[in-house]
Amino acid sequence: MFNVKDYFHRDEVVELTQKLISIPSHKDIPHQEKEVAEFIYDYCGSHGLEVQLQEVVDQRKNVLAFLRGSGVGNSLMLNGHTDTITPYRMTIDPFHECVRDGYVWGRGAADMKGGLACMITTMVAMKRAGIVPDGDIVFAGVIGEEGKSEGTEHLIHSGIRTSAAIVGEPSNYEYAVGHRGLEWFDVVFTGIASHSGSPENSVNAIEKAAEFIYRAKRELYPKIRQREDEFMGVSLMNVGIIEGGLGQSTVADQCTVKIDRRYIPGETVESVLQEYQDLLNSMKEEDPAMKATIIKSAENVTALNHPPLITPMSEPIVHAVRKALSEVIKRDPKITRGRGWTDAALLSVYGKIPTVVVGPGDIRLSHTEAERIAIRDLVNTVDVYARIIDNFCIKDKIMDENSTLIMD
C-alpha cells in the first residue's frame, strides 16, 4: 500500500519552501521569476522528473515538470505561480526568516511558494515510490499571476492540455470551484490648467474625478451589489488609486481614477465598461466641460481577459478533491466563496480544463507584513495532492486510508 508520507520527510518540504522563499521573484527583481524557475528546473531534474523551461517574456520563464503516466487515463496539471508581491513594510526578513513557532515565514510563504513546494514534493515522492499514474501529472510553475498572468496565458497558447487542473492558492483545507472575474480600468479626466489664483477659465480634472466617484458610489454600487453568484458572492467595485495634479497652486489638468472591478457570470468586460461609459455620458450631458475616457489599465492588459471561474460540481476533479480533503481532515470540506481571482479561470475558460483551487495555508496571511505558512499545512497538503492524483489518475486505488491530518 502506498502512503505518500513514507516517501518524503516533513523537513524536505519545509526546506524546499524556505529555498523558494529565499529567491526573490517580485516585480522589482531583474527578470523577476527567472532564477526561481531555474532552481525548480534543476531541483525537479535532479529528482528524476522530466523538466522543461518556457521563456515567456524578458527572460522570465515558466517551468514544467512531468511525471509521465501510462497514457490510458486522466492527466492532471498542478499549477502555481512563481512570482510574489513586493516585500513592502514587512516586519520580518522577507527572504531569510528562520522557521519558528510551527511556521515557515517570508514573502510568498502562503502566496504561493508553499503551494509550489507541496506540488513538487508530491511528484517527487510518487516518482520515488515508482507510481505510474494513468495519465501524465504536469507541474506548471508560471510567471506573472500577481500582474497580468502572462505565464498561464502562455501555457494555454503553447497547447498543453490535461484532463483537469489544480491551482494551489491557499485555501485552508477548503476548495473553490468558482470566483469572480477581475479587470482593472483607468478613468482619465482631462481639464484645463491655470494658476489657482485665477481659475476663471480652468477646468479642474480632480474635481471631475471626485464627482465621478461620488456618482459611481451613489448610482452604480447599489446595482452592482445586487448581482450575486452562489459560488462567487456579489459583484464588487473598488477605487484603488487616484493620481492627478501638478501642484497645490495649479488647477489640475489631468486626473486618473484606477478601478478594480470584480464581476460574475451574466456580466462581461463589455457590459462592465458600458456601465462606466453610460455614467460618464450622463455626466457629460449635465456638464459639457467634463472630458473623460475609460480604458483597461496597462498593468492588466494581455491578449486574454480575466474571466470568472466556474467549474461544475459534477466534474470528476471536484469529486476527487472533496474525497481527498475529507480523507485527510476527517470531515466534509467547505467550499470557499468570494475568494480572489486566480489563474484557474484562464485554464477553465480558455484552456477548457476543469479546474479547482486548493492549496496549503491561510489566504488571510498572504501579502501581509509577517507572511507565513504552517508546517502542518505543508505536510498535509502533500498528502491531499497525492490523494487527488490517486482519486483522479489511478484506477487501482492504492492509498493508505490511515494517513491523517498532522496537528503539530
Side-chain angles (χ1 to χ4, degrees), residues 144-280:
E145 192 272 349
E146 298 287 1
K148 298 181 180 181
S149 289
E150 306 100 316
T152 293
E153 181 171 314
H154 182 88
L155 197 69
I156 291 167
H157 291 321
S158 72
I160 292 177
R161 296 293 184 272
T162 51
S163 305
I166 297 297
V167 168
E169 298 277 3
S171 65
N172 202 25
Y173 301 106
E174 298 180 357
Y175 67 99
V177 295
H179 60 61
R180 308 174 187 95
L182 166 63
E183 297 297 340
W184 290 347
F185 301 108
D186 291 356
V187 188
V188 182
F189 294 85
T190 302
I192 300 173
S194 76
H195 191 286
S196 61
S198 53
E200 294 80 10
N201 296 316
S202 66
V203 175
N204 193 315
I206 292 176
E207 292 178 357
K208 304 304 179 187
E211 175 66 16
F212 168 80
I213 294 170
Y214 171 75
R215 292 275 296 267
K217 186 172 182 179
R218 187 181 65 188
E219 299 174 24
L220 283 184
Y221 275 40
K223 291 194 297 184
I224 289 171
R225 287 181 172 273
Q226 287 178 357
R227 302 165 190 162
E228 186 170 5
D229 180 270
E230 177 185 1
F231 296 103
M232 304 177 196
V234 299
S235 290
L236 295 172
M237 168 186 167
N238 178 64
V239 175
I241 298 175
I242 302 174
E243 299 174 329
L246 297 173
Q248 286 175 272
S249 295
T250 301
V251 175
D253 65 351
Q254 192 167 87
C255 184
T256 300
V257 176
K258 291 182 173 289
I259 295 170
D260 174 303
R261 181 67 164 82
R262 311 284 170 137
Y263 64 102
I264 64 174
E267 300 177 288
T268 64
V269 176
E270 293 74 22
S271 71
V272 168
L273 271 169
Q274 191 59 52
E275 283 187 319
Y276 291 127
Q277 189 61 58
D278 290 345
L279 178 56
L280 293 172

Side-chain angles (χ1 to χ4, degrees), residues 121-139:
T121 301
T122 302
M123 292 177 64
V124 168
M126 297 189 82
K127 177 72 174 179
R128 288 173 181 160
I131 301 299
V132 179
D134 298 337
D136 293 346
I137 310 303
V138 183
F139 166 79

Side-chain angles (χ1 to χ4, degrees), residues 80-144:
H81 62 87
T82 55
D83 63 319
T84 71
I85 67 163
T86 56
Y88 63 91
R89 295 193 300 273
M90 293 196 74
T91 58
I92 60 171
D93 185 325
F95 306 117
H96 299 98
E97 186 74 12
C98 63
V99 174
R100 56 184 170 84
D101 303 326
Y103 288 87
V104 182
W105 302 70
R107 177 56 80 224
D111 190 12
M112 59 164 291
K113 290 181 174 178
L116 297 176
C118 290
M119 291 174 171
I120 295 166
T121 301
T122 302
M123 292 177 64
V124 168
M126 297 189 82
K127 177 72 174 179
R128 288 173 181 160
I131 301 299
V132 179
D134 298 337
D136 293 346
I137 310 303
V138 183
F139 166 79
V142 297
I143 73 164

Side-chain angles (χ1 to χ4, degrees), residues 23-76:
I23 306 173
S25 53
H26 55 84
K27 64 182 180 63
D28 296 332
I29 298 296
H31 312 305
Q32 196 167 348
E33 305 93 341
K34 177 178 181 291
E35 186 179 350
V36 73
E38 291 174 346
F39 167 79
I40 293 171
Y41 177 92
D42 290 340
Y43 184 92
C44 291
S46 70
H47 286 84
L49 299 175
E50 181 184 333
V51 288
Q52 177 185 337
L53 289 170
Q54 295 181 327
E55 184 164 336
V56 180
V57 59
D58 188 30
Q59 300 185 45
R60 298 167 63 195
K61 301 173 182 179
N62 289 344
V63 56
L64 308 179
F66 302 86
L67 179 64
R68 294 298 186 183
S70 64
V72 295
N74 287 334
S75 57
L76 183 67

